[in-house]
Amino acid sequence: MDPQDELLGEAAKLGAVAADHAVETEQRRALAPAVVEAARASGLFRAGLPAALGGAEPSAAAVLRAAEKVAEADASAGWCVSIAATSSLLGAYLPADGGHEVFGDPASVAAGVWAPRGKAVPADGGVTVSGRWSFCSGVPHADWAFLGCVRPEGQDGRLVVAAIPAAELTVHDTWHTSGLRGTGSHDVSADGVFVPAHRLLSVVDGPPANAGTLHRFPLFGFFAASIAAAALGNARGAVADLVELAGVKNPSGSRRTLAERSATQGAVAEAEASLRAAREFYYRAIDDAWQAVASGSIVVAEELRLALRLACTHAVRTSAEVARTMYDLGGGSAIYETSPLQRRFRDAHTATAHFQVNPATYELAGRVLLGLPAETAQL
């Protein structure tokens, strides 16, 4: 079977479980146990692993389409799949011993926050890590966490990411939010945790030697794309939820269903056009970057990396507009907790707050397009 078809098939099965347990996931503020079990069995949490660790190394688009499909059923589940798959890419960046330690167990799942919120102090055979990291999505079901640190070697302040067992971290119950409640994106902290050298890696020095196509794909671009995949799936789910409601709801004082009203028809069509256009731009930018690395490029051209980040930001923010439109069309029915439209609305607008897809990306793109100096190393 084609790897993309296989991933989409697993995503459809996982999506069915996630939809059945969406309310439980939201109430737990973490994926329901049945969803975690199904996600582990699907392999989607580990879809980014290199071949040396048992990965199939599918295309970037195949992984992201699978996450999008899960998010169509439940945004929190899709978000957790996309984040875990992105974390699994780091299996290729770890030294061989570290990769096998972290991902050698076929059930092992990783989460992470790459932002350098910790300090890594040199120690015999490795470093000791201390710090606190916010927004660690999926940590309730993760076995490992990849956490960004500054390693003060000399005066260079070198950035490093440490792979730490979740059991050696403190999880702080901070994830009390309006949306994406089921992602369990709590704070985590470490206090003098020893990390051996074989569990240290860099995400700023480019792809590892002898990396395959998937691991030459821009890492930060994939990270942004993982957020957008969840947002696009959520927006598609919002449209489906509204269509289902519109066929049976009669607005107050009207004999026509919501679907039979011309205002509804126009709004749904406009939202559909916006969503399709944003999604097309998104997958076109992914494919352009993929073709570049597939042809042997080690460093993807700045214009392609910029287009990818721009497409991801546009996709997330367009998806939020679509979800808002569907919520508005739902009227009074959408405000109740029993309506999936209110969850779609909240999830969409929580996704827009992520730093990878916030309005600052537009400012960066604008500077480049206008020929002004800009820092693009981490696009």
Side-chain angles (χ1 to χ4, degrees):
M1 181 183 291
D2 180 87
Q4 178 166 306
D5 291 339
E6 184 174 355
L7 284 175
L8 283 176
E10 292 296 336
K13 290 188 289 185
L14 175 56
V17 177
D20 287 343
H21 294 273
V23 173
E24 181 185 357
T25 287
E26 171 126 334
Q27 291 172 343
R28 283 177 172 271
R29 293 181 297 114
L31 296 185
V35 179
V36 173
E37 181 180 356
R40 287 182 187 273
S42 73
L44 295 177
F45 277 160
R46 296 158 55 91
L49 285 180
L53 295 174
E57 298 197 18
S59 69
V63 178
L64 295 163
R65 287 181 194 277
E68 179 190 10
K69 186 66 176 177
V70 177
E72 188 176 333
D74 177 54
S76 287
W79 183 282
C80 287
V81 164
S82 64
I83 292 297
T86 303
S87 295
S88 73
L89 291 170
L90 299 187
Y93 287 70
L94 281 167
D97 288 350
H100 285 289
E101 183 177 355
V102 174
F103 291 110
D105 182 341
S108 181
V109 175
V113 181
W114 306 347
R117 303 297 185 220
K119 292 183 179 180
V121 178
D124 187 22
V127 297
T128 57
V129 171
S130 298
R132 180 162 173 159
W133 297 261
S134 301
F135 310 116
C136 194
S137 295
V139 71
H141 58 257
D143 304 290
W144 293 82
F146 288 104
L147 301 173
C149 305
V150 176
R151 183 166 54 185
E153 294 181 349
Q155 299 298 317
D156 63 0
R158 182 174 173 78
L159 302 182
V160 65
V161 174
I164 301 177
E168 296 182 17
L169 300 169
T170 299
V171 178
H172 303 272
D173 187 6
T174 54
W175 194 242
H176 299 269
T177 58
S178 60
L180 292 172
R181 293 176 181 171
T183 63
S185 303
H186 302 290
D187 287 13
V188 298
S189 64
D191 185 11
V193 174
F194 176 73
V195 180
H198 66 265
R199 284 201 262 116
L200 299 175
L201 61 95
S202 172
V203 294
V204 296
D205 292 336
N210 303 316
T213 306
L214 178 61
H215 299 97
R216 293 199 308 274
F217 191 88
L219 184 60
F220 287 96
F222 192 103
F223 187 10
S226 72
I227 304 305
L232 286 166
N234 182 62
R236 173 55 59 204
V239 174
D241 291 337
L242 185 281
V243 169
E244 181 178 355
L245 174 65
V248 298
K249 178 180 178 178
N250 289 86
S252 179
S254 175
R255 294 183 178 179
R256 295 180 298 167
T257 65
L258 184 59
E260 292 171 323
R261 301 182 69 180
S262 59
T264 303
Q265 296 158 8
V268 169
E270 185 175 354
E272 181 69 25
S274 295
L275 184 58
R276 290 193 192 190
R279 189 174 184 271
E280 184 69 22
F281 178 26
Y282 168 76
Y283 281 110
R284 174 61 183 270
I286 290 167
D287 186 62
D288 286 345
W290 182 263
Q291 293 304 320
V293 292
S295 68
S297 296
I298 299 299
V299 178
V300 177
E302 179 184 278
E303 63 184 75
L304 296 181
R305 289 183 286 121
L306 183 68
L308 178 58
R309 290 295 298 278
L310 188 60
C312 292
T313 301
H314 179 64
V316 170
R317 307 195 83 77
T318 299
S319 293
E321 293 171 4
V322 169
R324 186 202 65 219
T325 297
M326 298 303 105
Y327 173 82
D328 287 345
L329 288 173
S333 299
I335 68 173
Y336 291 95
E337 290 187 351
T338 53
S339 169
L341 284 171
Q342 53 79 30
R343 186 170 64 249
R344 297 291 189 184
F345 174 85
R346 291 186 286 102
D347 290 347
H349 288 82
T350 300
T352 61
H354 198 282
F355 78 97
Q356 285 280 359
V357 292
N358 67 23
T361 305
Y362 285 143
E363 296 173 14
L364 173 60
R367 290 188 67 84
V368 174
L369 293 170
L370 290 166
L372 299 175
E375 176 54 59
T376 60
Q378 292 190 21
L379 280 176

